[in-house]
PDB file of all heavy atoms in Angstrom:
ATOM      1  N   LEU O  17     -27.967 -14.015  -3.084  1.00 81.00           N
ATOM      2  CA  LEU O  17     -29.444 -13.559  -3.227  1.00 81.00           C
ATOM      3  C   LEU O  17     -29.579 -12.521  -4.282  1.00 81.00           C
ATOM      4  O   LEU O  17     -30.632 -12.204  -4.832  1.00 81.00           O
ATOM      5  CB  LEU O  17     -29.878 -13.015  -1.998  1.00 81.00           C
ATOM      6  CG  LEU O  17     -29.829 -13.796  -0.717  1.00 81.00           C
ATOM      7  CD1 LEU O  17     -30.318 -12.955   0.487  1.00 81.00           C
ATOM      8  CD2 LEU O  17     -30.607 -15.043  -0.866  1.00 81.00           C
ATOM      9  N   CYS O  18     -28.435 -11.969  -4.918  1.00 81.00           N
ATOM     10  CA  CYS O  18     -28.539 -10.829  -5.779  1.00 81.00           C
ATOM     11  C   CYS O  18     -28.651 -11.340  -7.328  1.00 81.00           C
ATOM     12  O   CYS O  18     -28.040 -12.217  -7.649  1.00 81.00           O
ATOM     13  CB  CYS O  18     -27.289  -9.994  -5.673  1.00 81.00           C
ATOM     14  SG  CYS O  18     -27.150  -9.024  -4.108  1.00 81.00           S
ATOM     15  N   ARG O  19     -29.454 -10.468  -7.994  1.00 84.00           N
ATOM     16  CA  ARG O  19     -29.519 -10.487  -9.413  1.00 84.00           C
ATOM     17  C   ARG O  19     -30.138  -9.274  -9.963  1.00 84.00           C
ATOM     18  O   ARG O  19     -30.861  -8.604  -9.083  1.00 84.00           O
ATOM     19  CB  ARG O  19     -30.335 -11.705  -9.959  1.00 84.00           C
ATOM     20  CG  ARG O  19     -31.830 -11.746  -9.565  1.00 84.00           C
ATOM     21  CD  ARG O  19     -32.443 -12.939 -10.102  1.00 84.00           C
ATOM     22  NE  ARG O  19     -33.900 -12.891  -9.763  1.00 84.00           N
ATOM     23  CZ  ARG O  19     -34.499 -13.258  -8.691  1.00 84.00           C
ATOM     24  NH1 ARG O  19     -33.773 -13.679  -7.677  1.00 84.00           N
ATOM     25  NH2 ARG O  19     -35.824 -13.221  -8.600  1.00 84.00           N
ATOM     26  N   PRO O  20     -29.815  -8.729 -11.046  1.00 86.00           N
ATOM     27  CA  PRO O  20     -30.329  -7.481 -11.566  1.00 86.00           C
ATOM     28  C   PRO O  20     -31.880  -7.593 -11.604  1.00 86.00           C
ATOM     29  O   PRO O  20     -32.530  -8.459 -12.282  1.00 86.00           O
ATOM     30  CB  PRO O  20     -29.822  -7.264 -12.930  1.00 86.00           C
ATOM     31  CG  PRO O  20     -28.477  -8.129 -12.868  1.00 86.00           C
ATOM     32  CD  PRO O  20     -28.817  -9.311 -11.871  1.00 86.00           C
ATOM     33  N   ARG O  21     -32.531  -6.720 -10.856  1.00 90.00           N
ATOM     34  CA  ARG O  21     -34.033  -6.701 -10.853  1.00 90.00           C
ATOM     35  C   ARG O  21     -34.644  -5.387 -10.250  1.00 90.00           C
ATOM     36  O   ARG O  21     -33.834  -4.713  -9.613  1.00 90.00           O
ATOM     37  CB  ARG O  21     -34.611  -7.929 -10.107  1.00 90.00           C
ATOM     38  CG  ARG O  21     -34.021  -7.948  -8.736  1.00 90.00           C
ATOM     39  CD  ARG O  21     -34.554  -9.305  -7.955  1.00 90.00           C
ATOM     40  NE  ARG O  21     -33.659  -9.494  -6.731  1.00 90.00           N
ATOM     41  CZ  ARG O  21     -33.932 -10.441  -5.944  1.00 90.00           C
ATOM     42  NH1 ARG O  21     -34.848 -11.339  -6.017  1.00 90.00           N
ATOM     43  NH2 ARG O  21     -33.081 -10.687  -4.809  1.00 90.00           N
ATOM     44  N   TYR O  22     -35.864  -5.126 -10.491  1.00 90.00           N
ATOM     45  CA  TYR O  22     -36.493  -3.971  -9.961  1.00 90.00           C
ATOM     46  C   TYR O  22     -35.678  -2.637 -10.233  1.00 90.00           C
ATOM     47  O   TYR O  22     -35.364  -1.894  -9.412  1.00 90.00           O
ATOM     48  CB  TYR O  22     -36.785  -4.054  -8.490  1.00 90.00           C
ATOM     49  CG  TYR O  22     -37.602  -5.216  -8.031  1.00 90.00           C
ATOM     50  CD1 TYR O  22     -37.098  -6.228  -7.251  1.00 90.00           C
ATOM     51  CD2 TYR O  22     -38.853  -5.389  -8.541  1.00 90.00           C
ATOM     52  CE1 TYR O  22     -37.823  -7.254  -6.953  1.00 90.00           C
ATOM     53  CE2 TYR O  22     -39.580  -6.536  -8.151  1.00 90.00           C
ATOM     54  CZ  TYR O  22     -39.118  -7.419  -7.403  1.00 90.00           C
ATOM     55  OH  TYR O  22     -39.848  -8.538  -7.103  1.00 90.00           O
ATOM     56  N   ARG O  23     -35.430  -2.521 -11.554  1.00 88.00           N
ATOM     57  CA  ARG O  23     -34.532  -1.420 -11.973  1.00 88.00           C
ATOM     58  C   ARG O  23     -35.287  -0.062 -11.602  1.00 88.00           C
ATOM     59  O   ARG O  23     -34.621   0.996 -11.597  1.00 88.00           O
ATOM     60  CB  ARG O  23     -34.305  -1.419 -13.487  1.00 88.00           C
ATOM     61  CG  ARG O  23     -33.544  -2.658 -13.908  1.00 88.00           C
ATOM     62  CD  ARG O  23     -32.123  -2.640 -13.267  1.00 88.00           C
ATOM     63  NE  ARG O  23     -31.346  -3.732 -13.626  1.00 88.00           N
ATOM     64  CZ  ARG O  23     -30.532  -3.815 -14.762  1.00 88.00           C
ATOM     65  NH1 ARG O  23     -30.476  -2.679 -15.540  1.00 88.00           N
ATOM     66  NH2 ARG O  23     -29.831  -4.828 -15.080  1.00 88.00           N
ATOM     67  N   GLY O  24     -36.523   0.041 -11.377  1.00 89.00           N
ATOM     68  CA  GLY O  24     -37.231   1.302 -10.990  1.00 89.00           C
ATOM     69  C   GLY O  24     -36.660   1.841  -9.749  1.00 89.00           C
ATOM     70  O   GLY O  24     -36.808   3.064  -9.563  1.00 89.00           O
ATOM     71  N   LEU O  25     -36.024   1.050  -8.947  1.00 89.00           N
ATOM     72  CA  LEU O  25     -35.382   1.616  -7.687  1.00 89.00           C
ATOM     73  C   LEU O  25     -34.083   2.393  -7.900  1.00 89.00           C
ATOM     74  O   LEU O  25     -33.428   2.800  -6.991  1.00 89.00           O
ATOM     75  CB  LEU O  25     -35.264   0.498  -6.652  1.00 89.00           C
ATOM     76  CG  LEU O  25     -36.521   0.006  -6.044  1.00 89.00           C
ATOM     77  CD1 LEU O  25     -36.233  -1.190  -5.103  1.00 89.00           C
ATOM     78  CD2 LEU O  25     -37.278   0.977  -5.357  1.00 89.00           C
ATOM     79  N   PHE O  26     -33.725   2.439  -9.152  1.00 89.00           N
ATOM     80  CA  PHE O  26     -32.470   3.175  -9.532  1.00 89.00           C
ATOM     81  C   PHE O  26     -32.788   4.353 -10.292  1.00 89.00           C
ATOM     82  O   PHE O  26     -31.855   5.027 -10.858  1.00 89.00           O
ATOM     83  CB  PHE O  26     -31.480   2.287 -10.236  1.00 89.00           C
ATOM     84  CG  PHE O  26     -31.059   1.065  -9.364  1.00 89.00           C
ATOM     85  CD1 PHE O  26     -31.682  -0.255  -9.482  1.00 89.00           C
ATOM     86  CD2 PHE O  26     -30.016   1.243  -8.410  1.00 89.00           C
ATOM     87  CE1 PHE O  26     -31.325  -1.282  -8.791  1.00 89.00           C
ATOM     88  CE2 PHE O  26     -29.603   0.171  -7.635  1.00 89.00           C
ATOM     89  CZ  PHE O  26     -30.253  -1.083  -7.857  1.00 89.00           C
ATOM     90  N   THR O  27     -34.037   4.837 -10.369  1.00 90.00           N
ATOM     91  CA  THR O  27     -34.380   5.987 -11.110  1.00 90.00           C
ATOM     92  C   THR O  27     -34.064   7.237 -10.100  1.00 90.00           C
ATOM     93  O   THR O  27     -33.820   7.170  -8.932  1.00 90.00           O
ATOM     94  CB  THR O  27     -35.876   5.988 -11.410  1.00 90.00           C
ATOM     95  OG1 THR O  27     -36.682   5.793 -10.139  1.00 90.00           O
ATOM     96  CG2 THR O  27     -36.086   4.883 -12.372  1.00 90.00           C
ATOM     97  N   ALA O  28     -34.059   8.430 -10.752  1.00 89.00           N
ATOM     98  CA  ALA O  28     -33.633   9.620 -10.116  1.00 89.00           C
ATOM     99  C   ALA O  28     -34.379   9.881  -8.768  1.00 89.00           C
ATOM    100  O   ALA O  28     -33.818  10.188  -7.694  1.00 89.00           O
ATOM    101  CB  ALA O  28     -33.913  10.890 -10.942  1.00 89.00           C
ATOM    102  N   PRO O  29     -35.781   9.814  -8.678  1.00 91.00           N
ATOM    103  CA  PRO O  29     -36.354  10.049  -7.435  1.00 91.00           C
ATOM    104  C   PRO O  29     -36.007   9.048  -6.324  1.00 91.00           C
ATOM    105  O   PRO O  29     -35.817   9.530  -5.157  1.00 91.00           O
ATOM    106  CB  PRO O  29     -37.960   9.852  -7.760  1.00 91.00           C
ATOM    107  CG  PRO O  29     -37.949  10.037  -9.275  1.00 91.00           C
ATOM    108  CD  PRO O  29     -36.837   9.550  -9.735  1.00 91.00           C
ATOM    109  N   VAL O  30     -35.844   7.821  -6.640  1.00 92.00           N
ATOM    110  CA  VAL O  30     -35.458   6.855  -5.584  1.00 92.00           C
ATOM    111  C   VAL O  30     -34.000   7.064  -5.148  1.00 92.00           C
ATOM    112  O   VAL O  30     -33.571   6.897  -4.052  1.00 92.00           O
ATOM    113  CB  VAL O  30     -35.758   5.353  -6.046  1.00 92.00           C
ATOM    114  CG1 VAL O  30     -35.422   4.456  -4.886  1.00 92.00           C
ATOM    115  CG2 VAL O  30     -37.168   5.257  -6.529  1.00 92.00           C
ATOM    116  N   ARG O  31     -33.162   7.409  -6.247  1.00 91.00           N
ATOM    117  CA  ARG O  31     -31.782   7.701  -5.919  1.00 91.00           C
ATOM    118  C   ARG O  31     -31.638   8.883  -4.959  1.00 91.00           C
ATOM    119  O   ARG O  31     -30.766   8.861  -4.012  1.00 91.00           O
ATOM    120  CB  ARG O  31     -31.025   8.165  -7.211  1.00 91.00           C
ATOM    121  CG  ARG O  31     -30.826   6.918  -8.092  1.00 91.00           C
ATOM    122  CD  ARG O  31     -30.012   7.420  -9.369  1.00 91.00           C
ATOM    123  NE  ARG O  31     -28.648   7.719  -9.049  1.00 91.00           N
ATOM    124  CZ  ARG O  31     -27.664   6.945  -9.292  1.00 91.00           C
ATOM    125  NH1 ARG O  31     -27.928   5.753  -9.641  1.00 91.00           N
ATOM    126  NH2 ARG O  31     -26.396   7.303  -8.928  1.00 91.00           N
ATOM    127  N   LEU O  32     -32.599   9.859  -5.050  1.00 93.00           N
ATOM    128  CA  LEU O  32     -32.518  10.879  -4.083  1.00 93.00           C
ATOM    129  C   LEU O  32     -33.016  10.564  -2.587  1.00 93.00           C
ATOM    130  O   LEU O  32     -32.257  10.868  -1.682  1.00 93.00           O
ATOM    131  CB  LEU O  32     -33.569  12.107  -4.469  1.00 93.00           C
ATOM    132  CG  LEU O  32     -33.769  13.209  -3.651  1.00 93.00           C
ATOM    133  CD1 LEU O  32     -32.432  14.014  -3.477  1.00 93.00           C
ATOM    134  CD2 LEU O  32     -34.755  14.205  -4.134  1.00 93.00           C
ATOM    135  N   VAL O  33     -33.963   9.626  -2.594  1.00 93.00           N
ATOM    136  CA  VAL O  33     -34.274   9.053  -1.253  1.00 93.00           C
ATOM    137  C   VAL O  33     -33.172   8.271  -0.696  1.00 93.00           C
ATOM    138  O   VAL O  33     -32.952   8.324   0.547  1.00 93.00           O
ATOM    139  CB  VAL O  33     -35.615   8.190  -1.381  1.00 93.00           C
ATOM    140  CG1 VAL O  33     -35.898   7.481  -0.046  1.00 93.00           C
ATOM    141  CG2 VAL O  33     -36.697   9.043  -1.695  1.00 93.00           C
ATOM    142  N   THR O  34     -32.528   7.453  -1.528  1.00 94.00           N
ATOM    143  CA  THR O  34     -31.466   6.606  -0.967  1.00 94.00           C
ATOM    144  C   THR O  34     -30.221   7.465  -0.565  1.00 94.00           C
ATOM    145  O   THR O  34     -29.676   7.272   0.479  1.00 94.00           O
ATOM    146  CB  THR O  34     -31.015   5.715  -2.265  1.00 94.00           C
ATOM    147  OG1 THR O  34     -32.034   4.847  -2.732  1.00 94.00           O
ATOM    148  CG2 THR O  34     -29.799   4.844  -1.722  1.00 94.00           C
ATOM    149  N   GLY O  35     -29.981   8.588  -1.313  1.00 93.00           N
ATOM    150  CA  GLY O  35     -28.899   9.445  -0.824  1.00 93.00           C
ATOM    151  C   GLY O  35     -29.173  10.155   0.462  1.00 93.00           C
ATOM    152  O   GLY O  35     -28.351  10.282   1.253  1.00 93.00           O
ATOM    153  N   ILE O  36     -30.471  10.524   0.668  1.00 94.00           N
ATOM    154  CA  ILE O  36     -30.903  11.139   1.894  1.00 94.00           C
ATOM    155  C   ILE O  36     -30.629  10.150   3.111  1.00 94.00           C
ATOM    156  O   ILE O  36     -30.058  10.451   4.105  1.00 94.00           O
ATOM    157  CB  ILE O  36     -32.344  11.634   1.888  1.00 94.00           C
ATOM    158  CG1 ILE O  36     -32.493  12.834   0.909  1.00 94.00           C
ATOM    159  CG2 ILE O  36     -32.777  12.081   3.203  1.00 94.00           C
ATOM    160  CD1 ILE O  36     -33.776  13.252   0.585  1.00 94.00           C
ATOM    161  N   LEU O  37     -31.087   8.897   2.900  1.00 94.00           N
ATOM    162  CA  LEU O  37     -31.035   7.885   4.037  1.00 94.00           C
ATOM    163  C   LEU O  37     -29.482   7.510   4.229  1.00 94.00           C
ATOM    164  O   LEU O  37     -29.042   7.426   5.396  1.00 94.00           O
ATOM    165  CB  LEU O  37     -31.676   6.660   3.676  1.00 94.00           C
ATOM    166  CG  LEU O  37     -33.240   6.659   3.927  1.00 94.00           C
ATOM    167  CD1 LEU O  37     -33.932   5.420   3.431  1.00 94.00           C
ATOM    168  CD2 LEU O  37     -33.504   6.876   5.402  1.00 94.00           C
ATOM    169  N   LEU O  38     -28.726   7.474   3.232  1.00 95.00           N
ATOM    170  CA  LEU O  38     -27.297   7.240   3.306  1.00 95.00           C
ATOM    171  C   LEU O  38     -26.570   8.371   4.102  1.00 95.00           C
ATOM    172  O   LEU O  38     -25.799   8.187   4.910  1.00 95.00           O
ATOM    173  CB  LEU O  38     -26.645   7.083   1.965  1.00 95.00           C
ATOM    174  CG  LEU O  38     -26.843   5.641   1.272  1.00 95.00           C
ATOM    175  CD1 LEU O  38     -26.324   5.670  -0.130  1.00 95.00           C
ATOM    176  CD2 LEU O  38     -26.089   4.629   2.091  1.00 95.00           C
ATOM    177  N   ALA O  39     -27.020   9.564   3.784  1.00 95.00           N
ATOM    178  CA  ALA O  39     -26.447  10.885   4.442  1.00 95.00           C
ATOM    179  C   ALA O  39     -26.805  10.679   5.864  1.00 95.00           C
ATOM    180  O   ALA O  39     -25.887  11.017   6.763  1.00 95.00           O
ATOM    181  CB  ALA O  39     -27.020  12.139   3.812  1.00 95.00           C
ATOM    182  N   LEU O  40     -28.016  10.391   6.226  1.00 92.00           N
ATOM    183  CA  LEU O  40     -28.372  10.188   7.594  1.00 92.00           C
ATOM    184  C   LEU O  40     -27.510   9.166   8.355  1.00 92.00           C
ATOM    185  O   LEU O  40     -27.018   9.323   9.489  1.00 92.00           O
ATOM    186  CB  LEU O  40     -29.886   9.857   7.760  1.00 92.00           C
ATOM    187  CG  LEU O  40     -30.400   9.504   9.154  1.00 92.00           C
ATOM    188  CD1 LEU O  40     -30.178  10.739  10.082  1.00 92.00           C
ATOM    189  CD2 LEU O  40     -31.830   9.153   9.149  1.00 92.00           C
ATOM    190  N   LEU O  41     -27.261   8.004   7.777  1.00 92.00           N
ATOM    191  CA  LEU O  41     -26.471   6.905   8.211  1.00 92.00           C
ATOM    192  C   LEU O  41     -25.030   7.473   8.423  1.00 92.00           C
ATOM    193  O   LEU O  41     -24.409   7.169   9.491  1.00 92.00           O
ATOM    194  CB  LEU O  41     -26.473   5.770   7.329  1.00 92.00           C
ATOM    195  CG  LEU O  41     -27.849   4.990   7.204  1.00 92.00           C
ATOM    196  CD1 LEU O  41     -27.577   3.877   6.084  1.00 92.00           C
ATOM    197  CD2 LEU O  41     -28.211   4.391   8.569  1.00 92.00           C
ATOM    198  N   GLY O  42     -24.440   8.169   7.493  1.00 91.00           N
ATOM    199  CA  GLY O  42     -23.196   8.811   7.656  1.00 91.00           C
ATOM    200  C   GLY O  42     -23.009   9.663   8.871  1.00 91.00           C
ATOM    201  O   GLY O  42     -22.087   9.683   9.641  1.00 91.00           O
ATOM    202  N   VAL O  43     -24.132  10.618   8.940  1.00 90.00           N
ATOM    203  CA  VAL O  43     -24.032  11.462  10.117  1.00 90.00           C
ATOM    204  C   VAL O  43     -24.080  10.727  11.480  1.00 90.00           C
ATOM    205  O   VAL O  43     -23.497  11.152  12.431  1.00 90.00           O
ATOM    206  CB  VAL O  43     -25.187  12.503   9.977  1.00 90.00           C
ATOM    207  CG1 VAL O  43     -25.414  13.276  11.318  1.00 90.00           C
ATOM    208  CG2 VAL O  43     -24.989  13.460   8.841  1.00 90.00           C
ATOM    209  N   LEU O  44     -25.018   9.764  11.527  1.00 87.00           N
ATOM    210  CA  LEU O  44     -25.185   8.959  12.774  1.00 87.00           C
ATOM    211  C   LEU O  44     -23.818   8.299  13.155  1.00 87.00           C
ATOM    212  O   LEU O  44     -23.548   8.065  14.317  1.00 87.00           O
ATOM    213  CB  LEU O  44     -26.212   7.824  12.589  1.00 87.00           C
ATOM    214  CG  LEU O  44     -27.670   8.279  12.458  1.00 87.00           C
ATOM    215  CD1 LEU O  44     -28.561   7.222  12.220  1.00 87.00           C
ATOM    216  CD2 LEU O  44     -28.064   9.048  13.714  1.00 87.00           C
ATOM    217  N   MET O  45     -22.975   8.054  12.232  1.00 83.00           N
ATOM    218  CA  MET O  45     -21.712   7.381  12.579  1.00 83.00           C
ATOM    219  C   MET O  45     -20.684   8.343  13.147  1.00 83.00           C
ATOM    220  O   MET O  45     -19.666   7.952  13.645  1.00 83.00           O
ATOM    221  CB  MET O  45     -21.107   6.664  11.323  1.00 83.00           C
ATOM    222  CG  MET O  45     -21.871   5.487  10.893  1.00 83.00           C
ATOM    223  SD  MET O  45     -21.409   4.702   9.298  1.00 83.00           S
ATOM    224  CE  MET O  45     -19.665   4.167   9.847  1.00 83.00           C
TER     225      MET O  45
END
């Protein structure tokens, strides 16, 4: 299903949101 697209989701603000959610997932584990 993958192909390079929607590069806007890799900008700094979205990276911050992604990092926060990943951190939460890590803590939940």
Side-chain angles (χ1 to χ4, degrees):
L17 302 177
C18 289
R19 63 181 186 276
R21 52 186 166 176
Y22 303 117
R23 296 296 181 89
L25 290 178
F26 297 96
T27 57
V30 184
R31 289 179 72 94
L32 178 59
V33 173
T34 303
I36 292 172
L37 278 174
L38 282 170
L40 175 60
L41 294 174
V43 170
L44 289 176
M45 290 176 65

